[in-house]
Amino acid sequence: MFVDNFQNFEQFIGSEHNDSFQGSSDVEATEWFEGGYGDDVFCASLGQDNFSDVRIGFDGGFDTVDYSRLEGSIRFNADTDFVSVRDANGSEISVHRIRDSIEKVAGTDSHDILAGNRFDNHFDGGRGSDVLTGRGGSDVFIFDGSKGDIGFDRVTDFEAFEDDLMLKNLHLTNGREVAGFGDLDSNGDGALNTDDANMFGFADKTVLLFAEGYVQLDDVPILHESDLLFA
């Protein structure tokens, strides 16, 4: 793999291949990244970053903006394209813009709020207790235990048969790996609800229990195999 370093630029346009971008750590820096045609990863920095796919009318692949290396937290609203980057005390330190068909946003290790739009969004809150909202489209909410604790995450508007929960590197509270639907369907009735060992409910909430943390679904009394993905 070849790594090129560029300094003192304002705009960078990627190639036709799968590119990775890392912005400046200078909070005052304003940088524009355009991914190009491949499956690109933008590693967010503390500067005033702007991320986009390719120009309208072209297929830009599956692109990700990754905030997992930043300390603090983020507030993302896909309807406005803006990301508020905050420090450990919750104070805003910079504002990013994500636009033009970025498919996935990966959050920090702290408490993020990620909200989508009418298109298909992929959200990975990372570690910390996150609030995820799809707002239409066929959304994928990703919960990955590879770093350990996933916190107490909440999905506010999961739509059965439309959205998906992607479960990765998670374990039941007894230590057993969650590799498929059958690992969660403890009573074997083909559905996940509060009759299963690793689920409980309160008010209008349903909570999936894992060794690494919890996933709360608002207004979802039951899940089916088609609602889950495993990786």
Side-chain angles (χ1 to χ4, degrees):
M1 180 180 69
F2 298 96
V3 178
D4 298 316
N5 294 301
F6 301 89
Q7 296 180 342
N8 302 318
F9 67 90
E10 285 74 39
Q11 183 174 13
F12 197 96
I13 300 175
S15 71
E16 297 180 359
H17 306 288
N18 301 337
D19 303 316
S20 296
F21 304 86
Q22 173 72 59
S24 169
S25 60
D26 183 357
V27 175
E28 302 299 324
T30 298
E31 299 155 337
W32 292 79
F33 298 95
E34 182 177 302
Y37 291 89
D39 297 336
D40 304 311
V41 177
F42 304 90
C43 298
S45 68
L46 293 179
Q48 311 294 321
D49 294 338
N50 296 268
F51 307 105
S52 67
D53 194 357
V54 296
R55 295 174 178 85
I56 300 299
F58 296 90
D59 179 9
F62 187 93
D63 303 306
T64 300
V65 179
D66 184 0
Y67 285 87
S68 64
R69 299 181 185 181
L70 292 188
E71 297 182 2
S73 62
I74 62 170
R75 306 289 186 269
F76 171 56
N77 184 348
D79 277 337
T80 64
D81 297 336
F82 288 105
V83 180
S84 172
V85 180
R86 306 187 176 212
D87 63 19
N89 296 318
S91 299
E92 184 173 271
I93 55 177
S94 64
V95 175
H96 295 177
R97 191 169 188 183
I98 297 177
R99 54 192 303 187
D100 297 346
S101 186
I102 296 294
E103 285 78 15
K104 178 181 174 182
V105 175
T108 71
D109 285 349
S110 190
H111 310 312
D112 303 314
I113 299 176
L114 309 179
N117 52 25
R118 62 188 177 89
F119 300 107
D120 300 343
N121 301 285
H122 290 65
F123 287 145
D124 181 349
R127 302 180 69 185
S129 298
D130 309 304
V131 179
L132 312 177
T133 303
R135 289 183 178 164
S138 297
D139 303 311
V140 179
F141 303 98
I142 302 165
F143 305 95
D144 185 352
S146 60
K147 289 186 177 181
D149 185 14
I150 64 170
F152 195 143
D153 294 330
R154 175 189 174 201
V155 180
T156 67
D157 64 346
F158 184 84
E159 292 288 339
F161 304 109
E162 180 73 19
D163 299 330
D164 290 302
L165 302 179
M166 178 176 285
L167 308 181
K168 304 172 62 176
N169 304 301
L170 294 174
H171 300 80
L172 301 178
T173 54
N174 63 8
R176 179 179 175 183
E177 181 182 6
V178 178
F181 184 80
D183 296 318
L184 296 172
D185 184 17
S186 61
N187 63 7
D189 65 355
L192 300 183
N193 53 40
T194 55
D195 292 333
D196 292 295
N198 286 273
M199 295 185 69
F200 73 91
F202 62 97
D204 58 349
K205 322 295 185 187
T206 296
V207 179
L208 285 76
L209 308 178
F210 302 102
E212 292 81 7
Y214 309 85
V215 176
Q216 174 183 307
L217 307 175
D218 292 359
D219 300 312
V220 180
I222 189 170
L223 289 169
H224 299 86
E225 188 168 5
S226 61
D227 297 322
L228 287 92
L229 304 171
F230 300 90

